[in-house]
């Protein structure tokens, strides 16, 4: 790791009030400033990789709220992730990690096949039986949490059912490449379908290359840099082989990763120009606000918005989703306190660090309840999974939907 | 640190909040002060006045030294324990205990974050003016201990002007209550004011009662460019001489302007010597009148640009340059040394000039910005800690700048405190008798010298 990135931290503490784990613990070791110091002192040889050390660095959500707040351009979350990547490179992947990250995630067919039993499990009513009998308690804890998070799955992954080319409605304005995130396709296919419908209704031809692979974010999370680079090369080549005006995604995590392909592949030309073409769906739709407004019908709902870390902190997108919600006639938009604080989902964090994840999530739920909204809108599958579960159990329950689903509801109203 | 002592601490504050692993000690070995660090022996995070008292009494008995700490954002090394003692962090004591709308006071635990208090009182139409640049993370305890100022200091004063009462844990563990909600109080020495800016050396504050004022009805923000530094400085003096007291009167010098423009592209011209950000607030009629007066004075002093914000959004835009000043500077080089020289208002132009000449002499990059209205400037040296020669030159340069500050009748620190970083300059400023009195006071409060030793003098 580049040492200068560590000494850039002037220890001003401006990041502390934005860090979810610091807000929960008040511990310097659980703050961005502390994490930079830990990594720095490890590099300087003052600290060793003790069990405590690993525990402290792994408590980071990599939500990057610290980066948004830092005056010096230090990104503590990313530095910690990079540090863990480097250590992993030295040690190699475990057999299980190799299985998941190299043999499963990069192959959409296998991934879909692997989740098929889950679909069956829900369809046959097995899930109800398992849940009502409390069999979940017998599962190892992590598995139990995972099962509990699963919402109702679509009949088939969107990647299998969507056509490769969706024509524009009316006069064609241009061509959008659609990057379909794995989790969006497998679980939130309705939202992604809404994304395609909106783009087409606004006059864009939408190309969804069927061969696309996972963006590589899970590899980054698993600290598998090589796997990430493979994914970046493959997707770059695939999308660059089509004539596209831009590449759009409705998954915050994918968007953040795709925009960094240029960086991951050390500025390779193809990857850099691909990354420059990537847009979050809210960026595209906000640019079409005039035309979109024409399509929207009144929707008298109380709505609030949660900023996914991968949208607000990693991509700097904050005003567009709010502007889009406010385009809907009759909508009652209420700003969420601490809207851009992590919900605790953070990749697989909610499974690996359940206790801290729950503390961060409870704070989010309380804030949502303060708004009195009936709907919480967000735009990242991790947040959708985490918040759907938590807010369906809240009293009164709050519905959680993707931004494009809300816009489609207004279109169809 | 002895195991039995750590166990005894854990019995008071709980094992979860008693930290002695090497990682924690390394992370509590610094604050925001550049270059300084030293590991404490143990860290505790008490939850109540009684727990603080328990910790301090235990330390006093064992002769172990205690350094209080809020969020560790001070810039003078005040919250570092240099002799492997106890760090006592107040952050868990973060309750706002009362907002008294009849007496216009707020009572808070000292771990409360400054801007959290702002939010609560402003929701009730009230106002707590002190707004240090670090207000989103600094604690009220730290603010009192450093007597922190802020952008609104010129019109509204600093923390000291708002402290009405304190609850303080003394060195032997006794709890001292001073002041309260009464506006007038002449019973005995004014211990409140003595404790403000004591930097953790006289006692540990657990609660503070501050004065609130009504929120100003309206405000107006102006941004002005000056091709010549002297004219900007004269403008500042003449605004005050015209009996207009802006809430904010901030200044950016040429180097800072260039860095801000490189970083934020806010449309500042690169050929001007100074930019002033001026804000007036209060009754709408008064605000209009003040703004017109300011415009006239700026034009008389040959400003090249004058803009008044037409809306709150535009005001925010105009204030961007000042708001991002530190970020813009800090990104230029890895190491940022932020200083705090304060001169009488009339000396701003010569002071800025002197800083610029000194930077040239030592071949350094120094940007200056700050609170022009009260002469409190932040010369900020952009350097690289890996270059010992440059760091040495930076120290020499600041040495000369501080000498000049004292010669102009100014002070070595307007708001960051003495701590350890400015200790060597204190004798020059307060003289032998000043030091003798301070030592006497310290001895009366803390005979065994256990509270934040080695700070101030
Ligand atoms: C980016 C930046 C901008 C800043 N801007 C300003 C500014 O505009 N104006 C300004 O005045 N300062 C400013 N500061 C300095 C600093 O933030 C203030 O001094 C602040 O009051 C420190 O608060 P803290 O909670 O971090 O205290 P700490 O840094 O933790 O402690 C400061 C001192 O107070 C003592 N202390 C802390 N809590 C207690 C307590 N409960 N009882 C007794 N002693 C205690 C400590 O021992 C130490 O000596 C700035 C700092 C930074 C990094
Ligand atoms: S990471 Fe950035 S914001 Fe946090 S202490 Fe370091 S310089 Fe300051
Ligand atoms: S990435 Fe998030 S959790 Fe990690 S240090 Fe930054 S703000 Fe804290």
């Amino acid at each position: 790791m580049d040492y200068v990135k560590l000494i850039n931290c002037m220890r001003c503490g401006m990041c502390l009030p934005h860090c979810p784990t610091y807000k929960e613990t008040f511990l310097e070791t659980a703050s961005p400033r502390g994490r930079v110091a830990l990594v720095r002192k490890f590099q300087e040889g003052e600290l060793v990789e003790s069990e405590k050390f690993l525990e402290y660095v792994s408590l980071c959500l990599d939500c990057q709220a610290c980066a948004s707040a830092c005056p010096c351009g230090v990104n503590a979350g990313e530095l910690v992730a990079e540090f863990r990547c480097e250590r992993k490179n030295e040690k190699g992947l475990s057999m299980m990690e190799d299985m998941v990250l190299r043999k499963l995630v990069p192959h959409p067919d296998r991934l879909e096949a692997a989740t098929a039993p889950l679909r069956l499990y829900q369809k046959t009513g097995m899930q109800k039986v398992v849940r009502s009998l409390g069999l979940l308690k017998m599962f190892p804890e992590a598995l139990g949490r995972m099962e509990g998070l699963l919402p109702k799955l679509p009949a088939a992954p969107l990647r299998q059912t969507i056509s490769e080319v969706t024509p524009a409605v009316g006069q064609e304005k241009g061509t959008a490449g659609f990057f379909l995130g794995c989790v969006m396709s497998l679980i939130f296919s309705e939202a992604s379908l809404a994304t395609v419908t909106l783009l087409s209704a606004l006059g864009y031809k939408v190309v969804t290359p069927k061969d696309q692979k996972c963006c590589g974010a899970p590899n980054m999370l698993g600290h598998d840099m090589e796997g990430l680079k493979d994914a970046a090369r493959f997707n770059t080549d695939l999308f660059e082989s089509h004539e596209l005006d831009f590449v759009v995604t409705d998954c915050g995590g994918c968007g953040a990763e795709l925009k960094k392909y240029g960086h991951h592949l050390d500025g390779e030309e193809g990857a850099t120009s691909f990354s420059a073409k990537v847009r979050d769906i809210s960026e595209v739709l906000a640019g079409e606000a005039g035309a979109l407004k024409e399509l929207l019908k009144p929707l008298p709902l109380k709505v609030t918005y949660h900023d996914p870390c991968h949208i607000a902190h990693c991509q700097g997108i904050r005003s567009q989703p709010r502007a889009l919600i406010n385009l809907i006639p009759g909508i009652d938009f209420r700003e969420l306190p601490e809207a851009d604080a992590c919900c605790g989902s953070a990749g697989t964090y909610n499974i690996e660090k359940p206790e801290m994840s729950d503390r961060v999530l409870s704070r989010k739920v309380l804030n949502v309840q303060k708004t009195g909204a009936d709907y919480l809108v967000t735009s990242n599958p991790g947040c959708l999974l985490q918040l759907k579960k938590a807010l369906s159990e809240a009293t009164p329950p709050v519905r959680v939907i993707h931004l494009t689903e809300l816009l489609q509801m207004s279109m169809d109203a | 640190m002895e195991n039995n002592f750590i166990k005894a601490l854990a019995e008071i504050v709980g094992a979860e909040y008693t930290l002695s692993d090497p990682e924690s000690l390394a992370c509590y070995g610094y604050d925001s002060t550049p270059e300084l660090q030293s590991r404490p022996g143990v860290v505790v995070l008490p939850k109540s006045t009684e727990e603080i008292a328990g910790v301090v009494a235990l330390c006093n008995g064992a002769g172990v030294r205690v350094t209080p700490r809020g969020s560790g954002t001070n810039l003078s090394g005040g919250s570092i324990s240099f002799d492997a003692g106890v760090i006592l962090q107040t952050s868990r004591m973060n309750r706002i205990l009362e907002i008294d709308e009849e007496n216009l006071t707020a009572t808070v635990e000292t771990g409360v974050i400054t801007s959290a208090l702002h939010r609560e009182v402003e929701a009730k139409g009230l106002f707590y003016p002190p707004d240090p640049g670090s207000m989103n993370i600094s604690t009220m305890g730290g603010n009192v201990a450093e007597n922190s100022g802020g952008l609104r200091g010129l019109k509204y004063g600093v923390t000291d002007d708002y402290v009405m009462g304190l609850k303080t844990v003394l060195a032997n563990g006794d709890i001292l209550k001073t002041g309260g909600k009464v506006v007038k109080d002449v019973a005995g020495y004014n211990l409140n004011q003595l404790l403000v800016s004591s930097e953790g050396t006289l006692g540990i504050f657990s609660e503070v009662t501050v004065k609130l004022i009504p929120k100003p009805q309206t405000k107006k923000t102006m941004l002005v460019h000056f091709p010549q530094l002297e004219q900007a400085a004269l403008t500042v003096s003449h605004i005050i001489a015209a009996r207009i007291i802006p809430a904010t009167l901030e200044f950016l010098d040429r180097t800072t302007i260039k860095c801000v423009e490189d970083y934020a592209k806010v449309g500042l011209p690169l050929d001007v010597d100074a930019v002033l950000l001026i804000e007036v607030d209060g009754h709408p009629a008064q605000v209009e009148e003040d703004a017109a007066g300011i415009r006239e004075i700026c034009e008389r002093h040959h400003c090249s640009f004058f803009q008044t914000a037409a809306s709150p959004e535009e005001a925010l835009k105009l204030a961007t340059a000042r708001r991002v000043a530190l970020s813009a500077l800090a990104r230029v080089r890895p190491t940022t040394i932020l200083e705090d020289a304060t001169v009488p208002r009339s000396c701003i132009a010569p002071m800025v000039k002197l800083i610029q000449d000194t930077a040239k002499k030592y071949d350094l990059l120094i940007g200056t910005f700050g609170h022009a209205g009260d002469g409190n400037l932040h010369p900020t040296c952009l350097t690289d800690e890996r270059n010992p020669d440059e760091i040495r030159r930076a120290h020499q340069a600041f040495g000369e700048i501080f000498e000049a500050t004292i010669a102009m009748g100014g002070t070595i620190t307007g708001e960051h405190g003495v701590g350890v970083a400015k200790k060597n300059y204190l004798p020059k400023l307060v003289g032998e008798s000043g030091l003798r009195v301070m030592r006497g006071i310290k001895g009366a409060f803390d005979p065994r010298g256990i509270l934040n030793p080695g700070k101030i003098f």
Side-chain angles (χ1 to χ4, degrees):
Chain A
M1 178 178 310
D2 200 355
Y3 185 62
V4 73
K5 280 195 194 162
L6 296 168
I7 67 171
N8 269 335
C9 169
M10 66 190 272
R11 308 193 296 218
C12 64
M14 298 296 218
C15 50
L16 267 61
H18 301 273
C19 175
T21 57
Y22 180 76
K23 283 193 287 192
E24 290 303 322
T25 61
F26 302 114
L27 297 179
E28 190 68 25
T29 40
S31 78
R33 178 170 68 175
R35 288 177 177 132
V36 175
L38 287 172
V39 174
R40 175 174 176 173
K41 285 174 192 301
F42 173 83
Q43 291 227 331
E44 289 171 350
E46 195 188 319
L47 290 174
V48 294
E49 212 176 353
S50 66
E51 216 167 284
K52 262 265 167 359
F53 183 93
L54 290 175
E55 192 185 310
Y56 288 137
V57 292
S58 66
L59 202 63
C60 172
L61 296 144
D62 194 12
C63 69
Q64 307 198 6
C66 46
S68 294
C70 176
C72 305
V74 176
N75 185 335
E78 197 173 71
L79 284 174
V80 168
E82 242 181 72
F83 169 78
R84 295 173 73 190
C85 250
E86 279 174 18
R87 305 296 299 153
K88 179 71 77 175
N89 266 349
E90 285 169 27
K91 292 179 189 155
L93 298 183
S94 72
M95 221 166 76
M96 188 66 188
E97 286 166 333
D98 182 69
M99 233 284 289
V100 176
L101 293 175
R102 297 277 170 83
K103 308 215 163 69
L104 183 61
V105 168
H107 305 280
D109 300 331
R110 291 187 206 162
L111 197 59
E112 283 159 12
T115 48
L118 282 177
R119 205 165 290 114
L120 196 68
Y121 161 73
Q122 289 191 336
K123 252 205 193 131
T124 56
M126 266 281 283
Q127 185 177 40
K128 275 215 185 88
V129 178
V130 170
R131 282 190 181 170
S132 60
L133 289 179
L135 288 183
L136 278 183
K137 298 213 176 71
M138 289 163 55
F139 278 69
E141 208 190 338
L143 258 185
R145 284 183 77 85
M146 261 197 282
E147 202 283 349
L149 281 173
L150 271 187
K152 200 170 153 291
L153 296 180
L158 186 62
R159 197 182 68 96
Q160 291 173 5
T161 55
I162 195 170
S163 42
E164 181 139 324
V165 177
T166 309
V169 174
Q171 172 93 40
E172 186 181 306
K173 279 187 203 155
T175 308
F178 183 38
F179 189 90
L180 180 54
C182 312
V183 187
M184 294 304 295
S185 166
L186 288 168
I187 302 177
F188 301 111
S189 57
E190 273 172 37
S192 283
L193 207 55
T195 300
V196 175
T197 311
L198 282 161
L199 285 168
S200 139
L202 288 167
Y204 290 99
K205 179 167 103 183
V206 185
V207 179
T208 313
K210 289 257 181 182
D211 293 337
Q212 56 184 281
K213 275 190 187 175
C214 168
C215 65
N219 300 84
M220 186 70 196
L221 270 177
H223 312 300
D224 170 26
M225 212 50 209
E226 275 319 301
L228 172 61
K229 286 186 178 175
D230 288 345
R233 274 198 199 92
F234 181 90
N235 286 325
T236 300
D237 291 346
L238 178 66
F239 278 83
E240 292 291 273
S241 71
H242 294 267
E243 289 267 327
L244 304 171
D245 296 304
F246 55 87
V247 175
V248 66
T249 172
D250 54 10
C251 166
C254 299
E257 211 57 68
L258 299 176
K259 285 182 178 180
K260 283 202 301 205
Y261 275 4
H263 166 79
H264 291 324
L265 295 182
D266 302 320
E268 269 176 35
E269 211 177 293
T272 307
S273 80
F274 169 78
S275 282
K277 265 193 225 163
V278 176
R279 307 273 180 281
D280 181 66
I281 182 67
S282 64
E283 293 178 282
V284 177
L285 296 179
E288 297 284 342
L292 181 60
K293 201 172 166 64
E294 304 283 301
L295 303 174
L296 300 177
K297 299 187 204 69
L299 212 56
L301 299 175
K302 286 179 259 170
V303 172
T304 187
Y305 175 73
H306 158 73
D307 290 280
C309 302
H310 283 108
I311 300 268
H313 302 304
C314 301
Q315 301 185 61
I317 299 171
R318 293 161 192 275
S319 63
Q320 295 90 329
R322 292 174 170 79
L324 289 168
I325 296 171
N326 279 313
L327 274 186
I328 300 174
I331 208 107
D332 175 359
F333 178 71
R334 298 161 177 213
E335 186 60 41
L336 174 65
E338 303 186 33
D340 69 352
C342 183
C343 66
S345 166
T348 48
Y349 189 92
N350 49 352
I351 292 156
E352 286 163 11
K353 291 264 179 283
E355 194 218 344
M356 182 56 76
S357 174
D358 283 350
R359 285 167 73 172
V360 172
L361 175 62
S362 306
R363 192 179 179 110
K364 180 61 69 180
V365 170
L366 276 178
N367 277 325
V368 172
Q369 286 173 329
K370 278 188 208 156
T371 66
D374 311 317
Y375 278 80
L376 174 85
V377 173
T378 188
S379 43
N380 189 56
C383 311
L384 285 167
L385 274 174
Q386 171 97 333
L387 293 168
K388 261 182 197 281
K389 165 139 194 312
L391 288 168
S392 68
E393 289 165 3
T395 32
V398 179
R399 302 235 358 225
V400 179
I401 56 172
H402 193 284
L403 176 65
T404 57
E405 288 177 291
L406 180 77
L407 293 169
Q408 168 131 44
M409 267 166 73
S410 156
M411 240 172 32
D412 297 344
Chain B
M1 182 113 339
E2 273 182 44
N3 261 339
N4 283 341
F5 181 73
I6 295 179
K7 268 203 202 117
L9 285 174
E11 263 163 41
I12 301 168
V13 299
E16 191 186 344
Y17 296 106
T18 308
L19 315 166
S20 57
D21 55 281
E23 289 78 16
S24 295
L25 299 183
C27 284
Y28 283 93
Y30 56 76
D31 53 27
S32 295
T33 319
E35 300 175 79
L36 293 180
Q37 60 178 330
S38 178
R39 280 196 199 189
V42 59
V43 181
V44 290
L45 289 86
K47 182 68 187 154
S48 65
T49 306
E50 290 67 34
E51 287 188 10
I52 298 182
V55 169
V56 175
L58 184 71
C59 292
N60 197 43
V64 175
R65 296 161 163 198
V66 195
T67 296
R69 173 177 164 119
S71 295
T73 68
N74 77 90
L75 293 157
S76 49
S79 58
I80 301 177
S81 165
F82 287 94
D83 35 29
V86 177
I87 293 273
L88 184 152
Q89 184 187 347
T90 58
S91 309
R92 289 177 65 224
M93 295 180 53
N94 60 351
R95 285 181 306 159
I96 294 177
L97 300 171
E98 183 194 44
I99 295 174
D100 181 340
E101 295 184 64
E102 270 172 35
N103 289 306
L104 296 191
T105 61
T107 301
V108 302
E109 291 185 322
T110 45
V112 164
I113 302 295
T114 317
S115 66
L117 178 63
H118 288 155
R119 264 196 307 279
E120 290 296 317
V121 303
E122 283 171 32
K124 293 185 160 37
L126 295 169
F127 193 41
Y128 174 70
D131 60 341
S134 50
M135 65 186 182
N136 287 330
I137 183 61
S138 69
T139 63
M140 289 298 290
N143 288 177
V144 175
E146 298 283 11
N147 190 12
S148 298
L151 264 61
R152 300 191 278 241
L154 174 59
K155 178 168 177 181
Y156 293 104
V158 295
T159 304
D160 184 29
D161 298 305
Y162 294 86
V163 174
M164 296 182 72
L166 285 168
K167 193 189 256 189
T168 307
V169 174
L170 297 175
N172 60 1
D174 284 355
I175 295 164
L176 171 73
K177 276 189 171 174
T178 50
K181 289 184 183 176
V182 285
V183 178
K184 293 173 151 188
D185 184 2
V186 292
Y189 292 150
N190 189 338
L191 295 179
N192 256 344
Q193 285 209 294
L194 182 62
L195 288 166
V196 174
S197 83
S198 60
E199 301 192 22
T201 63
L202 300 183
I204 302 182
F205 315 129
S206 61
E207 287 175 19
V208 52
T209 300
V210 294
K211 177 168 82 182
L212 304 174
I213 59 175
K215 202 166 147 187
Q217 286 174 20
T218 180
K219 70 175 179 185
K220 231 178 179 62
T221 305
M222 292 153 272
L223 188 73
V224 202
H225 302 168
F226 288 93
Q228 283 176 323
L229 176 66
E230 290 72 17
Q231 294 295 341
L234 279 175
T235 302
V236 172
S237 303
H238 287 170
I239 289 174
I240 312 285
R243 311 280 149 88
I244 302 173
I245 309 289
T248 298
L249 184 33
E250 294 288 305
F251 160 88
L252 306 182
D253 81 337
R254 195 183 265 264
T255 308
T256 311
I257 294 169
K258 183 173 181 311
C259 294
V260 166
E261 200 42 36
D262 283 349
Y263 167 59
K265 308 262 176 308
V266 286
L268 295 179
L270 297 180
D271 57 351
V272 299
D273 264 0
V275 164
L276 294 181
L277 175 78
I278 310 173
E279 228 163 54
V280 285
D281 68 0
H283 188 276
Q286 187 67 49
V287 165
E288 282 304 322
E289 198 178 304
D290 286 350
I294 288 172
R295 175 166 204 138
E296 194 271 318
I297 295 169
C298 289
E299 283 170 353
R300 196 154 21 99
H301 289 97
H302 315 292
C303 66
S304 53
F305 174 87
F306 186 103
Q307 190 183 349
T308 310
S311 64
E313 294 77 47
E314 211 173 279
L316 217 60
K317 233 173 98 191
L318 292 191
T320 308
R322 171 62 182 91
R323 222 164 8 110
V324 303
L326 181 62
S327 308
L329 291 168
R331 280 170 200 240
V332 177
R333 302 279 308 277
T335 308
T336 307
I337 306 180
L338 179 65
E339 275 303 348
D340 184 29
T342 304
V343 292
R345 209 148 37 216
S346 57
C347 297
I348 290 176
M351 190 67 216
V352 173
K353 189 83 185 33
L354 182 125
I355 294 169
Q356 288 171 346
D357 291 344
T358 313
K360 212 173 273 160
K361 175 171 157 198
Y362 287 100
D363 191 18
L364 295 164
L365 190 57
I366 301 183
T368 303
F369 64 96
H371 322 305
D374 47 30
N376 185 190
L377 297 171
H378 294 307
T380 305
C381 181
L382 315 176
T383 168
D384 188 334
E385 61 182 83
R386 293 167 300 180
N387 181 342
D389 177 56
E390 191 170 304
I391 295 287
R392 192 180 41 75
R393 280 183 277 127
H395 287 299
Q396 278 175 336
F398 278 124
E400 280 183 25
I401 292 169
F402 291 136
E403 298 279 346
T405 311
I406 297 173
M408 285 180 193
T411 177
I412 48 173
T413 168
E415 53 183 26
H416 294 171
V418 178
V420 289
K422 301 260 176 73
K423 231 165 101 163
N424 294 340
Y425 298 101
L426 192 70
K428 288 196 190 108
L429 202 65
V430 300
E432 224 0 88
S433 41
L435 277 181
R436 207 170 40 245
V437 174
M438 288 195 199
R439 288 204 182 99
I441 294 171
K442 169 76 178 167
F445 271 86
D446 178 18
R448 297 194 67 179
I450 62 148
L451 289 172
N452 213 6
K455 309 295 158 62
I456 307 183
F457 45 76

